[in-house]
Amino acid sequence: AQSVTQLDSQVPVFEEAPVELRCNYSSSVSVYLFWYVQYPNQGLQLLLKYLSGSTLVKGINGFEAEFNKSQTSFHLRKPSVHISDTAEYFCAVSAIIQGAQKLVFGQGTRLTINP
Amino acid sequence: DGGITQSPKYLFRKEGQNVTLSCEQNLNHDAMYWYRQDPGQGLRLIYYSQIVNDFQKGDIAEGYSVSREKKESFPLTVTSAQKNPTAFYLCASSIGAPPRALHFGNGTRLTVT
């Protein structure tokens, strides 16, 4: 079975500072990894995904993530955050079981940007 | 514009009543999913459907039921057997063979008192 652990439930940072949101996963099968963002009272939007190839993945809004197989991690980074980045961020791992995709989410990290 | 529509946005029910949450998509996606979101617990899979007239239980299916009579629609019924139904419910869909990113609706917040 696969699982996802987001190591920080809340991360406060100042505007224009860099940020890293940590995600570790476990899986007994090949993994595909995603980061989603959720603004208050809305659904989730895809930030980026790792399916194969380059381990450094670039996404929308200036975010990027690095897949590290040896450390089973997929940390999300942004070099300079903006007030509008305040949201909850979810890491997810997808496993393909009997042809069906099951996406398992971490508990979420609430990112708060202070002016 | 293509997307997933969940209605209503807020729903209030008395304990013991069944309630149905609507999810409609015009993205022509084959697969649809229902997730439940509780504070600090992330999203948990309730049911999913890969094709019309077929669906499978997710990790927390007890107390819920679904149907998939049309490709565009995947309604979720929260029955009186669900012991703690108050939550934020999210519907999602995806196209093509996995792995594929999910597209989400804006959710329905259900409050049962």
Side-chain angles (χ1 to χ4, degrees), chain A residues 40-102:
Chain A
N41 293 314
Q42 292 187 25
L44 277 67
Q45 300 174 28
L46 180 68
L47 272 179
L48 49 78
K49 60 188 177 186
Y50 171 79
L51 303 182
S52 65
S54 174
T55 57
L56 183 63
V57 181
K58 293 191 183 297
I60 62 171
N61 300 341
F63 284 94
E64 63 181 32
E66 185 157 17
F67 171 59
N68 188 320
K69 189 174 182 178
S70 62
Q71 297 187 9
T72 60
S73 68
F74 191 53
H75 300 332
L76 181 70
R77 301 186 184 102
K78 186 170 183 178
S80 176
V81 295
H82 188 266
I83 290 283
S84 60
D85 293 322
T86 296
E88 189 148 23
Y89 292 78
F90 291 94
C91 180
V93 60
S94 171
I96 312 304
I97 301 171
Q98 296 180 330
Q101 172 172 268
K102 292 188 68 176

Coordinates of all heavy atoms in Angstrom, one line a residue, chain A residues 40-102:
Chain A
P40 N -9.1 28.7 0.2 CA -10.3 28.5 1.1 C -11.6 28.3 0.4 O -12.0 29.0 -0.6 CB -10.3 29.8 1.9 CG -8.9 30.3 1.9 CD -8.3 29.9 0.5
N41 N -12.3 27.2 0.9 CA -13.6 26.9 0.3 C -13.6 26.6 -1.2 O -14.7 26.8 -1.8 CB -14.6 27.9 0.7 CG -14.9 28.0 2.2 OD1 -15.0 27.0 2.8 ND2 -14.8 29.2 2.7
Q42 N -12.5 26.1 -1.7 CA -12.5 25.7 -3.1 C -12.0 24.3 -3.2 O -11.5 23.7 -2.3 CB -11.6 26.7 -3.8 CG -12.1 28.1 -3.9 CD -11.2 28.9 -4.9 OE1 -10.6 28.4 -5.8 NE2 -11.3 30.2 -4.7
G43 N -12.0 23.8 -4.4 CA -11.4 22.5 -4.7 C -9.9 22.6 -4.9 O -9.3 23.6 -4.5
L44 N -9.3 21.5 -5.3 CA -7.9 21.5 -5.4 C -7.5 21.8 -6.9 O -8.2 21.4 -7.8 CB -7.4 20.1 -5.1 CG -7.1 19.8 -3.6 CD1 -8.5 19.8 -2.8 CD2 -6.4 18.5 -3.4
Q45 N -6.3 22.5 -7.0 CA -5.8 22.8 -8.3 C -4.4 22.1 -8.4 O -3.6 22.2 -7.5 CB -5.6 24.3 -8.5 CG -6.9 25.1 -8.5 CD -6.6 26.6 -8.5 OE1 -5.6 27.0 -9.1 NE2 -7.4 27.4 -7.9
L46 N -4.1 21.5 -9.6 CA -2.8 20.9 -9.8 C -1.7 21.9 -9.9 O -1.8 22.9 -10.7 CB -2.9 20.1 -11.0 CG -1.6 19.3 -11.4 CD1 -1.3 18.2 -10.4 CD2 -1.7 18.7 -12.8
L47 N -0.7 21.8 -9.1 CA 0.5 22.6 -9.2 C 1.5 22.0 -10.1 O 2.1 22.7 -11.0 CB 1.2 22.8 -7.8 CG 0.7 23.9 -6.9 CD1 1.5 23.8 -5.6 CD2 0.9 25.3 -7.5
L48 N 1.8 20.7 -9.9 CA 2.8 20.0 -10.7 C 2.7 18.6 -10.5 O 2.0 18.1 -9.6 CB 4.2 20.5 -10.4 CG 4.7 20.6 -9.0 CD1 5.1 19.3 -8.4 CD2 5.8 21.6 -8.8
K49 N 3.4 17.8 -11.4 CA 3.3 16.3 -11.3 C 4.6 15.8 -11.7 O 5.4 16.3 -12.6 CB 2.2 15.8 -12.1 CG 2.3 16.1 -13.6 CD 1.1 15.7 -14.3 CE 1.2 16.1 -15.8 NZ -0.1 15.9 -16.6
Y50 N 5.0 14.6 -11.2 CA 6.1 13.8 -11.6 C 5.6 12.5 -12.1 O 5.0 11.7 -11.3 CB 7.1 13.6 -10.5 CG 8.2 12.6 -10.9 CD1 9.2 13.0 -11.8 CD2 8.1 11.3 -10.5 CE1 10.2 12.1 -12.2 CE2 9.1 10.4 -10.9 CZ 10.1 10.8 -11.8 OH 11.0 9.8 -12.2
L51 N 5.8 12.2 -13.4 CA 5.4 10.9 -13.9 C 6.6 10.0 -14.3 O 6.6 8.8 -14.0 CB 4.5 11.1 -15.1 CG 3.2 11.9 -14.9 CD1 2.4 11.9 -16.2 CD2 2.4 11.3 -13.7
S52 N 7.6 10.7 -14.9 CA 8.9 10.0 -15.2 C 9.8 11.1 -15.7 O 9.5 12.3 -15.8 CB 8.6 9.0 -16.3 OG 8.2 9.6 -17.5
G53 N 11.1 10.7 -16.0 CA 12.0 11.6 -16.6 C 12.7 12.5 -15.6 O 13.1 12.0 -14.5
S54 N 12.9 13.7 -15.9 CA 13.7 14.6 -15.1 C 13.1 14.7 -13.7 O 11.9 14.8 -13.5 CB 13.7 16.0 -15.6 OG 14.4 16.9 -14.7
T55 N 14.0 14.6 -12.7 CA 13.6 14.6 -11.3 C 13.2 15.9 -10.8 O 12.5 16.1 -9.8 CB 14.6 14.0 -10.4 OG1 15.8 14.7 -10.5 CG2 14.9 12.5 -10.7
L56 N 13.6 17.0 -11.5 CA 13.2 18.4 -11.1 C 12.0 18.7 -12.0 O 12.1 18.8 -13.2 CB 14.3 19.3 -11.3 CG 14.0 20.8 -10.9 CD1 13.8 20.8 -9.4 CD2 15.2 21.7 -11.2
V57 N 10.9 19.0 -11.3 CA 9.7 19.3 -12.0 C 9.2 20.7 -11.8 O 9.2 21.2 -10.6 CB 8.5 18.3 -11.6 CG1 7.3 18.6 -12.3 CG2 8.9 16.9 -11.7
K58 N 8.9 21.5 -12.8 CA 8.5 22.8 -12.6 C 6.9 22.9 -12.8 O 6.4 22.2 -13.7 CB 9.2 23.8 -13.6 CG 10.7 23.9 -13.4 CD 11.3 25.0 -14.2 CE 12.8 25.0 -13.9 NZ 13.1 25.3 -12.5
G59 N 6.3 23.7 -12.0 CA 4.9 23.8 -12.1 C 4.4 25.3 -12.3 O 5.2 26.1 -12.7
I60 N 3.1 25.5 -11.9 CA 2.6 26.8 -12.1 C 3.0 27.7 -10.9 O 3.4 27.2 -9.9 CB 1.1 26.8 -12.3 CG1 0.4 26.2 -11.0 CG2 0.7 26.0 -13.5 CD1 -1.1 26.3 -11.0
N61 N 2.8 29.0 -11.1 CA 3.0 30.0 -10.0 C 4.4 30.0 -9.4 O 4.6 30.4 -8.3 CB 2.0 29.8 -8.9 CG 0.6 29.9 -9.3 OD1 0.3 30.5 -10.4 ND2 -0.4 29.4 -8.6
G62 N 5.4 29.5 -10.2 CA 6.8 29.6 -9.8 C 7.2 28.5 -8.9 O 8.3 28.5 -8.3
F63 N 6.4 27.5 -8.6 CA 6.7 26.3 -7.8 C 7.5 25.3 -8.6 O 7.3 25.1 -9.8 CB 5.4 25.7 -7.2 CG 4.8 26.5 -6.1 CD1 3.8 27.4 -6.3 CD2 5.3 26.3 -4.8 CE1 3.3 28.2 -5.3 CE2 4.7 27.1 -3.7 CZ 3.8 28.0 -4.0
E64 N 8.3 24.5 -7.8 CA 9.0 23.4 -8.4 C 9.2 22.3 -7.3 O 9.0 22.6 -6.1 CB 10.4 23.8 -9.0 CG 11.4 24.3 -7.9 CD 12.7 24.7 -8.5 OE1 12.7 25.1 -9.7 OE2 13.7 24.5 -7.9
A65 N 9.4 21.1 -7.7 CA 9.6 20.0 -6.8 C 10.6 19.1 -7.3 O 10.8 18.9 -8.5 CB 8.3 19.3 -6.6
E66 N 11.3 18.4 -6.4 CA 12.3 17.4 -6.8 C 12.0 16.1 -6.3 O 11.8 15.9 -5.1 CB 13.7 17.9 -6.3 CG 14.8 17.0 -6.8 CD 16.2 17.6 -6.8 OE1 16.3 18.7 -6.1 OE2 17.1 17.1 -7.5
F67 N 12.0 15.1 -7.2 CA 11.7 13.7 -6.9 C 13.1 13.1 -6.5 O 14.0 13.1 -7.2 CB 11.1 13.0 -8.1 CG 11.0 11.5 -7.9 CD1 10.3 10.9 -6.9 CD2 11.7 10.6 -8.8 CE1 10.2 9.6 -6.7 CE2 11.6 9.2 -8.6 CZ 10.8 8.7 -7.6
N68 N 13.1 12.5 -5.3 CA 14.3 11.9 -4.8 C 13.9 10.4 -4.4 O 13.4 10.2 -3.3 CB 14.9 12.6 -3.6 CG 16.2 12.1 -3.1 OD1 16.4 10.9 -3.1 ND2 17.1 13.0 -2.8
K69 N 14.3 9.5 -5.3 CA 13.9 8.1 -5.1 C 14.5 7.5 -3.9 O 13.9 6.8 -3.1 CB 14.2 7.3 -6.3 CG 13.6 5.9 -6.3 CD 13.8 5.2 -7.6 CE 13.2 3.8 -7.6 NZ 13.3 3.1 -8.9
S70 N 15.8 7.8 -3.6 CA 16.5 7.2 -2.5 C 16.0 7.6 -1.2 O 16.0 6.9 -0.2 CB 18.0 7.5 -2.6 OG 18.3 8.9 -2.5
Q71 N 15.5 8.9 -1.1 CA 15.0 9.4 0.1 C 13.5 9.3 0.1 O 12.8 9.8 1.1 CB 15.5 10.8 0.3 CG 17.0 10.9 0.5 CD 17.4 12.3 0.9 OE1 16.6 13.2 1.2 NE2 18.7 12.6 0.8
T72 N 12.9 8.8 -0.9 CA 11.4 8.7 -1.0 C 10.8 10.0 -0.7 O 9.8 10.1 0.1 CB 10.8 7.6 -0.2 OG1 11.1 7.8 1.2 CG2 11.4 6.2 -0.7
S73 N 11.3 11.1 -1.3 CA 10.7 12.4 -1.0 C 10.3 13.2 -2.3 O 10.8 12.8 -3.4 CB 11.8 13.3 -0.2 OG 12.9 13.6 -1.1
F74 N 9.5 14.1 -2.1 CA 9.0 15.0 -3.2 C 8.7 16.3 -2.7 O 7.6 16.8 -2.6 CB 7.8 14.3 -3.9 CG 7.4 14.9 -5.2 CD1 8.3 15.1 -6.3 CD2 6.1 15.3 -5.4 CE1 7.9 15.7 -7.5 CE2 5.7 15.9 -6.7 CZ 6.6 16.0 -7.7
H75 N 9.7 17.1 -2.3 CA 9.5 18.3 -1.6 C 9.2 19.5 -2.6 O 9.8 19.5 -3.7 CB 10.8 18.7 -0.8 CG 11.2 17.7 0.2 ND1 10.3 16.9 0.9 CD2 12.4 17.4 0.8 CE1 10.9 16.1 1.7 NE2 12.2 16.4 1.7
L76 N 8.3 20.4 -2.2 CA 7.9 21.5 -3.0 C 8.7 22.7 -2.6 O 8.8 23.0 -1.4 CB 6.4 21.7 -2.8 CG 5.7 22.8 -3.6 CD1 5.7 22.4 -5.1 CD2 4.3 23.1 -3.1
R77 N 9.1 23.5 -3.5 CA 9.9 24.7 -3.2 C 9.4 25.9 -4.1 O 8.9 25.8 -5.2 CB 11.4 24.5 -3.5 CG 12.0 23.3 -2.7 CD 13.5 23.3 -3.0 NE 14.0 22.1 -2.3 CZ 14.4 21.0 -2.9 NH1 14.2 20.8 -4.2 NH2 14.8 20.0 -2.2
K78 N 9.6 27.1 -3.5 CA 9.5 28.3 -4.2 C 10.5 29.3 -3.7 O 10.6 29.5 -2.5 CB 8.1 28.9 -4.1 CG 7.8 30.1 -5.0 CD 6.3 30.5 -5.0 CE 6.1 31.7 -6.0 NZ 4.7 32.1 -6.1
P79 N 11.3 30.0 -4.6 CA 12.4 30.8 -4.1 C 11.9 32.1 -3.5 O 12.6 32.7 -2.7 CB 13.2 31.1 -5.4 CG 12.2 30.8 -6.6 CD 11.3 29.8 -6.1
S80 N 10.7 32.6 -3.8 CA 10.2 33.9 -3.3 C 8.7 33.8 -3.3 O 8.1 33.8 -4.3 CB 10.8 35.0 -4.1 OG 10.3 36.3 -3.7
V81 N 8.1 33.8 -2.1 CA 6.7 33.7 -2.0 C 6.0 35.0 -2.0 O 6.6 36.0 -1.6 CB 6.3 32.8 -0.8 CG1 6.8 31.4 -0.9 CG2 6.7 33.5 0.5
H82 N 4.7 34.9 -2.4 CA 3.9 36.1 -2.4 C 2.7 35.9 -1.5 O 2.3 34.8 -1.2 CB 3.4 36.4 -3.9 CG 2.7 37.7 -4.1 ND1 1.3 37.8 -4.0 CD2 3.2 38.9 -4.3 CE1 1.0 39.0 -4.2 NE2 2.1 39.7 -4.4
I83 N 2.1 37.0 -1.1 CA 0.9 36.9 -0.2 C -0.2 36.0 -0.8 O -0.8 35.2 -0.1 CB 0.2 38.3 0.0 CG1 1.1 39.2 0.9 CG2 -1.1 38.2 0.6 CD1 1.1 38.8 2.4
S84 N -0.3 36.0 -2.1 CA -1.3 35.2 -2.8 C -1.0 33.7 -2.7 O -1.9 32.9 -3.1 CB -1.4 35.6 -4.3 OG -0.2 35.4 -4.9
D85 N 0.2 33.3 -2.3 CA 0.5 31.9 -2.1 C -0.1 31.3 -0.8 O 0.0 30.1 -0.6 CB 2.0 31.7 -2.1 CG 2.6 32.0 -3.5 OD1 2.0 31.7 -4.5 OD2 3.7 32.5 -3.5
T86 N -0.7 32.1 0.0 CA -1.3 31.6 1.2 C -2.4 30.6 0.8 O -3.4 31.0 0.2 CB -1.9 32.8 2.0 OG1 -0.9 33.6 2.5 CG2 -2.7 32.2 3.2
A87 N -2.3 29.4 1.3 CA -3.3 28.3 0.9 C -2.8 27.0 1.6 O -1.8 27.0 2.3 CB -3.2 28.1 -0.6
E88 N -3.6 26.0 1.3 CA -3.2 24.7 1.8 C -2.7 23.8 0.7 O -3.2 23.9 -0.4 CB -4.4 23.9 2.5 CG -4.0 22.7 3.2 CD -4.8 22.4 4.4 OE1 -5.9 22.9 4.5 OE2 -4.3 21.6 5.3
Y89 N -1.6 23.1 0.9 CA -0.9 22.4 -0.1 C -0.9 20.9 0.2 O -0.6 20.5 1.4 CB 0.5 22.9 -0.3 CG 0.6 24.3 -0.8 CD1 0.4 25.4 0.0 CD2 0.9 24.5 -2.1 CE1 0.4 26.7 -0.5 CE2 0.9 25.8 -2.6 CZ 0.7 26.9 -1.8 OH 0.7 28.2 -2.3
F90 N -1.3 20.1 -0.8 CA -1.4 18.7 -0.6 C -0.4 17.9 -1.6 O -0.4 18.2 -2.8 CB -2.8 18.2 -0.9 CG -3.8 18.7 0.1 CD1 -4.5 19.8 -0.1 CD2 -4.0 17.9 1.3 CE1 -5.4 20.2 0.9 CE2 -4.9 18.4 2.3 CZ -5.6 19.5 2.0
C91 N 0.3 17.0 -1.0 CA 1.1 16.1 -1.8 C 0.3 14.8 -2.0 O -0.4 14.4 -1.1 CB 2.4 15.8 -1.0 SG 3.6 14.7 -1.8
A92 N 0.4 14.2 -3.1 CA -0.3 13.0 -3.4 C 0.5 12.0 -4.2 O 1.3 12.4 -5.0 CB -1.6 13.3 -4.1
V93 N 0.3 10.7 -3.9 CA 0.9 9.6 -4.7 C -0.1 8.8 -5.3 O -1.2 8.5 -4.7 CB 1.8 8.8 -3.7 CG1 1.0 8.1 -2.6 CG2 2.6 7.7 -4.5
S94 N 0.2 8.4 -6.6 CA -0.8 7.6 -7.3 C -0.2 6.3 -7.6 O 1.0 6.1 -7.9 CB -1.0 8.3 -8.7 OG -1.8 7.4 -9.5
A95 N -1.0 5.3 -7.3 CA -0.6 3.9 -7.6 C -1.6 3.3 -8.6 O -2.8 3.6 -8.5 CB -0.5 3.1 -6.4
I96 N -1.1 2.5 -9.5 CA -2.0 1.9 -10.5 C -2.2 0.4 -10.0 O -1.3 -0.3 -10.0 CB -1.4 1.9 -11.9 CG1 -0.9 3.3 -12.3 CG2 -2.5 1.4 -12.9 CD1 -2.0 4.4 -12.1
I97 N -3.4 0.1 -9.7 CA -3.7 -1.2 -9.1 C -4.8 -1.8 -10.0 O -5.9 -1.3 -10.0 CB -4.1 -1.1 -7.7 CG1 -3.0 -0.5 -6.8 CG2 -4.5 -2.5 -7.1 CD1 -3.3 -0.2 -5.4
Q98 N -4.5 -2.9 -10.7 CA -5.5 -3.6 -11.5 C -6.1 -2.6 -12.5 O -7.3 -2.7 -12.8 CB -6.6 -4.3 -10.7 CG -6.0 -5.4 -9.8 CD -7.1 -6.1 -8.9 OE1 -8.0 -5.4 -8.6 NE2 -6.9 -7.3 -8.6
G99 N -5.2 -1.8 -13.1 CA -5.7 -0.9 -14.1 C -6.4 0.4 -13.6 O -6.7 1.3 -14.4
A100 N -6.6 0.4 -12.3 CA -7.3 1.6 -11.8 C -6.3 2.5 -11.0 O -5.4 2.0 -10.3 CB -8.4 1.2 -10.8
Q101 N -6.5 3.8 -11.1 CA -5.7 4.7 -10.4 C -6.3 5.1 -9.1 O -7.4 5.5 -9.0 CB -5.5 6.0 -11.2 CG -4.7 7.1 -10.5 CD -4.4 8.3 -11.4 OE1 -3.3 8.3 -12.0 NE2 -5.3 9.2 -11.5
K102 N -5.4 5.0 -8.0 CA -5.9 5.4 -6.7 C -4.9 6.5 -6.3 O -3.7 6.2 -6.2 CB -5.9 4.3 -5.7 CG -7.0 3.3 -6.0 CD -7.2 2.2 -4.9 CE -7.7 2.9 -3.6 NZ -7.9 1.8 -2.6

